Coordinates of all heavy atoms in Angstrom, one line a residue:
M2 N 5.3 15.9 -6.8 CA 5.7 14.7 -7.5 C 6.6 15.0 -8.7 O 6.5 16.0 -9.3 CB 4.4 13.9 -7.9 CG 3.7 13.4 -6.7 SD 2.3 12.3 -7.3 CE 3.2 11.0 -7.9
T3 N 7.4 14.1 -9.0 CA 8.3 14.2 -10.1 C 8.0 13.2 -11.2 O 7.3 12.2 -11.0 CB 9.8 14.0 -9.8 OG1 10.0 12.7 -9.4 CG2 10.2 15.0 -8.6
D4 N 8.6 13.4 -12.4 CA 8.4 12.5 -13.5 C 9.4 11.2 -13.4 O 9.1 10.3 -14.1 CB 8.6 13.2 -14.9 CG 7.5 14.2 -15.2 OD1 6.4 14.1 -14.6 OD2 7.8 15.2 -15.9
R5 N 10.3 11.4 -12.6 CA 11.4 10.3 -12.5 C 10.9 9.4 -11.3 O 10.7 9.8 -10.2 CB 12.7 11.0 -12.2 CG 13.9 10.1 -12.4 CD 15.2 10.7 -12.0 NE 15.2 10.6 -10.6 CZ 16.2 11.0 -9.9 NH1 17.2 11.6 -10.4 NH2 16.2 10.8 -8.6
A6 N 11.0 8.1 -11.6 CA 10.6 7.1 -10.6 C 11.9 6.7 -9.9 O 12.9 6.5 -10.5 CB 9.9 5.9 -11.2
T7 N 11.9 6.7 -8.5 CA 13.0 6.2 -7.8 C 12.5 5.1 -6.9 O 11.5 5.2 -6.1 CB 13.5 7.2 -6.8 OG1 14.0 8.4 -7.6 CG2 14.9 6.8 -6.1
A8 N 13.1 3.8 -7.1 CA 12.6 2.7 -6.3 C 12.9 2.8 -4.8 O 13.9 3.4 -4.4 CB 13.3 1.4 -6.8
L9 N 12.0 2.3 -3.9 CA 12.3 2.3 -2.6 C 13.4 1.2 -2.2 O 13.4 0.1 -2.9 CB 11.1 1.8 -1.8 CG 9.8 2.9 -1.8 CD1 8.6 2.2 -1.2 CD2 10.3 4.1 -1.1
S10 N 14.2 1.5 -1.3 CA 15.2 0.5 -0.8 C 14.3 -0.5 0.1 O 13.2 -0.3 0.4 CB 16.2 1.1 0.0 OG 15.6 1.6 1.3
V11 N 14.9 -1.7 0.3 CA 14.3 -2.7 1.1 C 13.9 -2.2 2.5 O 12.9 -2.4 3.0 CB 15.2 -4.0 1.1 CG1 14.6 -5.0 2.1 CG2 15.3 -4.6 -0.3
P12 N 14.9 -1.5 3.1 CA 14.5 -1.0 4.5 C 13.5 0.0 4.4 O 12.6 0.1 5.3 CB 15.8 -0.4 5.0 CG 16.9 -1.0 4.2 CD 16.3 -1.3 2.9
Q13 N 13.4 0.9 3.4 CA 12.4 1.9 3.3 C 11.0 1.3 3.1 O 10.0 1.6 3.7 CB 12.6 2.8 2.1 CG 13.8 3.8 2.3 CD 14.1 4.6 1.0 OE1 14.0 4.0 -0.1 NE2 14.3 5.8 1.1
R14 N 11.0 0.3 2.2 CA 9.7 -0.5 2.0 C 9.2 -1.2 3.2 O 8.1 -1.1 3.5 CB 9.9 -1.4 0.8 CG 8.6 -2.2 0.4 CD 8.9 -3.1 -0.7 NE 9.4 -2.5 -1.9 CZ 8.6 -1.9 -2.8 NH1 7.3 -2.0 -2.7 NH2 9.1 -1.3 -3.8
A15 N 10.1 -1.8 3.9 CA 9.8 -2.5 5.2 C 9.2 -1.5 6.2 O 8.2 -1.9 6.9 CB 11.0 -3.3 5.7
A16 N 9.8 -0.4 6.3 CA 9.4 0.6 7.3 C 8.0 1.1 7.0 O 7.1 1.3 7.8 CB 10.3 1.8 7.4
I17 N 7.7 1.4 5.7 CA 6.4 1.9 5.3 C 5.3 0.8 5.5 O 4.3 1.1 5.9 CB 6.5 2.3 3.8 CG1 7.4 3.6 3.7 CG2 5.1 2.5 3.2 CD1 7.7 4.0 2.2
V18 N 5.7 -0.4 5.1 CA 4.7 -1.6 5.2 C 4.4 -1.7 6.7 O 3.2 -1.9 7.1 CB 5.3 -2.8 4.6 CG1 4.5 -4.0 5.1 CG2 5.3 -2.7 3.1
A19 N 5.4 -1.7 7.6 CA 5.2 -1.8 9.1 C 4.3 -0.7 9.6 O 3.3 -0.9 10.3 CB 6.5 -1.9 9.8
A20 N 4.6 0.6 9.2 CA 3.7 1.7 9.6 C 2.3 1.6 9.1 O 1.3 1.8 9.9 CB 4.4 3.0 9.1
L21 N 2.1 1.3 7.8 CA 0.8 1.1 7.3 C 0.0 0.0 7.9 O -1.2 0.2 8.1 CB 0.9 1.0 5.8 CG 1.2 2.3 4.9 CD1 1.4 1.9 3.4 CD2 0.3 3.3 5.1
G22 N 0.7 -1.1 8.2 CA 0.0 -2.2 8.8 C -0.4 -1.9 10.2 O -1.6 -2.1 10.6
S23 N 0.4 -1.1 10.9 CA -0.1 -0.6 12.3 C -1.3 0.4 12.2 O -2.2 0.3 13.0 CB 1.1 0.1 13.0 OG 0.7 0.7 14.2
I24 N -1.2 1.2 11.3 CA -2.3 2.2 11.0 C -3.6 1.4 10.6 O -4.6 1.7 11.1 CB -1.9 3.3 9.9 CG1 -0.8 4.2 10.5 CG2 -3.2 4.1 9.6 CD1 -0.2 5.0 9.4
R25 N -3.4 0.5 9.7 CA -4.6 -0.3 9.3 C -5.2 -1.1 10.5 O -6.4 -1.0 10.7 CB -4.3 -1.3 8.3 CG -5.5 -2.1 7.7 CD -5.0 -3.2 6.8 NE -4.1 -4.1 7.5 CZ -3.4 -4.9 6.9 NH1 -3.4 -5.2 5.6 NH2 -2.5 -5.7 7.6
D26 N -4.4 -1.6 11.4 CA -4.9 -2.3 12.5 C -5.6 -1.4 13.4 O -6.7 -1.7 14.0 CB -3.7 -3.0 13.3 CG -3.1 -4.2 12.5 OD1 -3.8 -4.6 11.6 OD2 -2.0 -4.5 13.0
Q27 N -5.1 -0.2 13.6 CA -5.8 0.8 14.4 C -7.2 1.2 13.9 O -8.2 1.3 14.5 CB -5.0 2.0 14.6 CG -3.7 1.8 15.5 CD -2.8 3.0 15.5 OE1 -3.2 4.1 15.2 NE2 -1.6 2.8 15.9
L28 N -7.2 1.4 12.6 CA -8.4 1.7 11.8 C -9.5 0.5 12.0 O -10.6 0.8 12.1 CB -8.2 2.1 10.4 CG -7.4 3.4 10.2 CD1 -6.9 3.5 8.7 CD2 -8.3 4.6 10.5
D29 N -9.0 -0.7 11.8 CA -9.9 -1.8 12.0 C -10.5 -1.9 13.3 O -11.6 -2.1 13.5 CB -9.1 -3.1 11.7 CG -8.9 -3.4 10.2 OD1 -9.6 -2.8 9.4 OD2 -8.0 -4.2 9.9
Q30 N -9.6 -1.6 14.3 CA -10.2 -1.6 15.7 C -11.2 -0.6 16.0 O -12.1 -0.8 16.9 CB -9.0 -1.5 16.7 CG -8.1 -2.8 16.8 CD -6.8 -2.5 17.6 OE1 -6.7 -1.5 18.3 NE2 -6.0 -3.5 17.6
T31 N -11.0 0.6 15.4 CA -12.1 1.6 15.6 C -13.2 1.6 14.6 O -14.0 2.6 14.5 CB -11.3 3.0 15.6 OG1 -10.7 3.2 14.3 CG2 -10.3 3.1 16.7
R32 N -13.2 0.5 13.8 CA -14.3 0.3 12.7 C -14.3 1.5 11.7 O -15.4 1.8 11.1 CB -15.7 0.2 13.4 CG -15.8 -1.0 14.4 CD -17.1 -1.3 14.7 NE -17.4 -2.0 15.9 CZ -17.0 -3.3 16.1 NH1 -16.3 -3.9 15.2 NH2 -17.4 -3.9 17.2
E33 N -13.2 2.0 11.3 CA -13.0 2.9 10.2 C -12.7 2.2 8.9 O -11.6 2.1 8.4 CB -11.9 3.9 10.6 CG -12.2 4.8 11.8 CD -13.2 5.8 11.5 OE1 -13.6 6.1 10.3 OE2 -13.7 6.4 12.5
V34 N -13.7 1.4 8.5 CA -13.6 0.4 7.4 C -13.0 1.0 6.2 O -12.2 0.5 5.6 CB -14.9 -0.3 7.2 CG1 -14.8 -1.3 6.2 CG2 -15.3 -1.0 8.6
L35 N -13.6 2.1 5.7 CA -13.2 2.7 4.4 C -11.8 3.1 4.4 O -11.0 2.7 3.5 CB -14.1 3.8 4.0 CG -13.8 4.4 2.6 CD1 -14.0 3.4 1.5 CD2 -14.8 5.6 2.4
A36 N -11.3 3.7 5.4 CA -9.9 4.1 5.5 C -9.0 2.9 5.6 O -8.0 2.8 4.9 CB -9.6 5.0 6.8
A37 N -9.5 1.9 6.3 CA -8.7 0.6 6.4 C -8.5 0.0 5.0 O -7.5 -0.6 4.7 CB -9.3 -0.3 7.4
V38 N -9.7 0.0 4.3 CA -9.6 -0.6 2.9 C -8.5 0.1 2.0 O -7.8 -0.4 1.3 CB -11.0 -0.6 2.3 CG1 -10.9 -0.9 0.8 CG2 -11.9 -1.5 3.0
H39 N -8.6 1.4 2.2 CA -7.5 2.2 1.3 C -6.1 1.9 1.8 O -5.2 1.8 1.0 CB -7.8 3.7 1.6 CG -8.9 4.2 0.8 ND1 -9.0 4.2 -0.5 CD2 -10.2 4.6 1.2 CE1 -10.2 4.7 -0.9 NE2 -11.0 5.0 0.2
I40 N -5.9 1.7 3.1 CA -4.5 1.3 3.5 C -4.2 -0.1 3.0 O -3.1 -0.3 2.6 CB -4.4 1.4 5.1 CG1 -4.7 2.8 5.6 CG2 -3.1 0.8 5.6 CD1 -3.7 3.7 5.3
T41 N -5.2 -1.0 3.0 CA -5.0 -2.3 2.5 C -4.6 -2.3 1.0 O -3.7 -3.0 0.6 CB -6.2 -3.2 2.7 OG1 -6.5 -3.3 4.1 CG2 -6.0 -4.6 2.1
H42 N -5.2 -1.5 0.3 CA -4.9 -1.3 -1.1 C -3.5 -0.8 -1.3 O -2.7 -1.2 -2.1 CB -5.9 -0.3 -1.8 CG -5.6 -0.1 -3.3 ND1 -5.7 -1.1 -4.3 CD2 -5.1 0.9 -3.9 CE1 -5.3 -0.6 -5.4 NE2 -4.9 0.6 -5.2
A43 N -3.1 0.2 -0.4 CA -1.8 0.7 -0.5 C -0.8 -0.4 -0.2 O 0.3 -0.5 -0.9 CB -1.5 1.8 0.5
L44 N -1.0 -1.2 0.8 CA -0.1 -2.3 1.1 C 0.0 -3.3 0.0 O 1.0 -3.8 -0.4 CB -0.6 -3.1 2.3 CG -0.4 -2.3 3.6 CD1 -1.2 -2.9 4.8 CD2 1.1 -2.2 4.0
D45 N -1.1 -3.6 -0.8 CA -1.1 -4.4 -2.0 C -0.2 -3.7 -3.0 O 0.5 -4.5 -3.7 CB -2.6 -4.6 -2.6 CG -3.4 -5.4 -1.7 OD1 -2.9 -6.3 -0.8 OD2 -4.7 -5.5 -1.9
C46 N -0.3 -2.5 -3.2 CA 0.5 -1.8 -4.2 C 2.0 -1.9 -3.9 O 2.9 -1.9 -4.8 CB 0.1 -0.3 -4.3 SG -1.5 -0.1 -5.1
L47 N 2.3 -2.0 -2.6 CA 3.7 -2.1 -2.2 C 4.3 -3.6 -2.3 O 5.5 -3.8 -2.3 CB 3.9 -1.6 -0.8 CG 3.8 -0.1 -0.6 CD1 3.7 0.3 0.9 CD2 5.1 0.6 -1.2
D48 N 3.4 -4.5 -2.4 CA 3.8 -6.0 -2.5 C 4.0 -6.3 -3.9 O 3.2 -6.3 -4.8 CB 2.6 -6.8 -2.0 CG 2.9 -8.3 -2.0 OD1 4.0 -8.7 -2.5 OD2 2.0 -9.0 -1.6
P49 N 5.4 -6.6 -4.2 CA 5.7 -6.9 -5.6 C 5.0 -8.2 -6.1 O 5.0 -8.3 -7.3 CB 7.3 -7.1 -5.5 CG 7.6 -7.2 -4.1 CD 6.5 -6.6 -3.3
D50 N 4.6 -9.0 -5.2 CA 3.9 -10.3 -5.6 C 2.4 -10.1 -5.8 O 1.7 -11.1 -6.2 CB 4.2 -11.4 -4.6 CG 5.7 -11.7 -4.6 OD1 6.4 -11.6 -5.7 OD2 6.2 -12.1 -3.5
S51 N 1.9 -9.0 -5.5 CA 0.4 -8.7 -5.6 C 0.0 -8.7 -7.0 O 0.7 -8.3 -7.9 CB 0.1 -7.4 -4.9 OG -1.2 -7.1 -5.1
V52 N -1.2 -9.2 -7.2 CA -1.9 -9.1 -8.6 C -1.9 -7.7 -9.1 O -1.9 -7.5 -10.2 CB -3.2 -9.8 -8.6 CG1 -4.3 -9.0 -7.7 CG2 -3.7 -10.1 -9.9
T53 N -2.0 -6.8 -8.1 CA -2.0 -5.4 -8.5 C -0.8 -4.9 -9.2 O -0.9 -4.0 -10.1 CB -2.1 -4.5 -7.2 OG1 -3.2 -4.9 -6.4 CG2 -2.2 -3.0 -7.5
N54 N 0.3 -5.6 -9.1 CA 1.5 -5.2 -9.7 C 1.9 -6.0 -10.9 O 3.0 -5.8 -11.5 CB 2.7 -5.2 -8.7 CG 2.5 -4.2 -7.7 OD1 2.2 -3.0 -8.0 ND2 2.7 -4.5 -6.4
R55 N 1.0 -6.9 -11.4 CA 1.3 -7.7 -12.5 C 1.1 -6.9 -13.8 O 0.1 -6.1 -13.9 CB 0.4 -8.9 -12.6 CG 0.8 -9.9 -11.5 CD 0.0 -11.3 -11.7 NE 0.3 -12.0 -10.5 CZ -0.5 -12.9 -10.0 NH1 -1.8 -13.0 -10.5 NH2 -0.3 -13.6 -8.9
P56 N 1.9 -7.0 -14.8 CA 1.8 -6.3 -16.0 C 0.5 -6.5 -16.7 O -0.1 -7.7 -16.7 CB 2.9 -6.8 -17.0 CG 3.9 -7.4 -16.0 CD 3.1 -7.9 -14.8
G57 N -0.1 -5.5 -17.1 CA -1.5 -5.6 -17.8 C -2.7 -5.5 -16.8 O -3.8 -5.3 -17.3
T58 N -2.4 -5.6 -15.5 CA -3.5 -5.5 -14.5 C -3.4 -4.2 -13.7 O -4.4 -3.9 -13.0 CB -3.5 -6.6 -13.6 OG1 -2.3 -6.7 -12.8 CG2 -3.7 -8.0 -14.4
R59 N -2.3 -3.5 -13.8 CA -2.2 -2.3 -13.0 C -2.9 -1.2 -13.5 O -2.8 -0.9 -14.8 CB -0.7 -2.0 -12.8 CG -0.5 -0.8 -11.9 CD 0.9 -0.8 -11.4 NE 0.9 0.4 -10.5 CZ 1.9 0.6 -9.7 NH1 3.1 0.0 -9.9 NH2 1.9 1.6 -8.9
K60 N -3.6 -0.5 -12.8 CA -4.4 0.7 -13.2 C -3.8 1.9 -12.5 O -3.6 1.9 -11.3 CB -5.8 0.6 -12.9 CG -6.5 -0.6 -13.7 CD -8.0 -0.6 -13.3 CE -8.6 -1.9 -14.0 NZ -10.0 -2.0 -13.7
L61 N -3.7 3.0 -13.2 CA -3.3 4.3 -12.5 C -4.5 4.9 -11.9 O -5.7 4.8 -12.4 CB -2.7 5.2 -13.6 CG -1.4 4.7 -14.3 CD1 -1.0 5.8 -15.3 CD2 -0.4 4.5 -13.2
H62 N -4.3 5.4 -10.8 CA -5.4 6.0 -10.0 C -5.4 7.5 -10.1 O -4.5 8.1 -10.1 CB -5.4 5.6 -8.5 CG -5.5 4.1 -8.4 ND1 -6.5 3.4 -8.6 CD2 -4.5 3.3 -8.1 CE1 -6.3 2.2 -8.4 NE2 -5.0 2.0 -8.1

């Protein structure tokens, strides 16, 4: 990891969201609940409209 942040492009973000959504669906189908919850959290973090990304509510993990 680097100290410099580089924003994802719209196509990059869309590709990641699609891949994570597919993985989450597979995890849900196999009842891998904890892993699916982590993927859902990652998707929330990628959503600019998510409460996770509002100033003052974001926590570093």
Side-chain angles (χ1 to χ4, degrees):
M2 294 188 64
T3 66
D4 292 335
R5 194 183 82 175
T7 304
L9 292 170
S10 68
V11 172
Q13 287 172 320
R14 183 178 302 273
I17 291 169
V18 167
L21 288 173
S23 176
I24 293 167
R25 182 190 56 198
D26 291 346
Q27 291 174 19
L28 291 168
D29 282 340
Q30 290 174 3
T31 58
R32 300 191 197 301
E33 296 290 344
V34 178
L35 183 58
V38 167
H39 286 291
I40 298 293
T41 298
H42 178 72
L44 288 166
D45 288 343
C46 290
L47 287 168
D48 180 358
D50 296 327
S51 171
V52 68
T53 304
N54 293 314
R55 290 189 188 146
T58 62
R59 185 163 184 176
K60 296 179 183 176
L61 297 176
H62 302 286

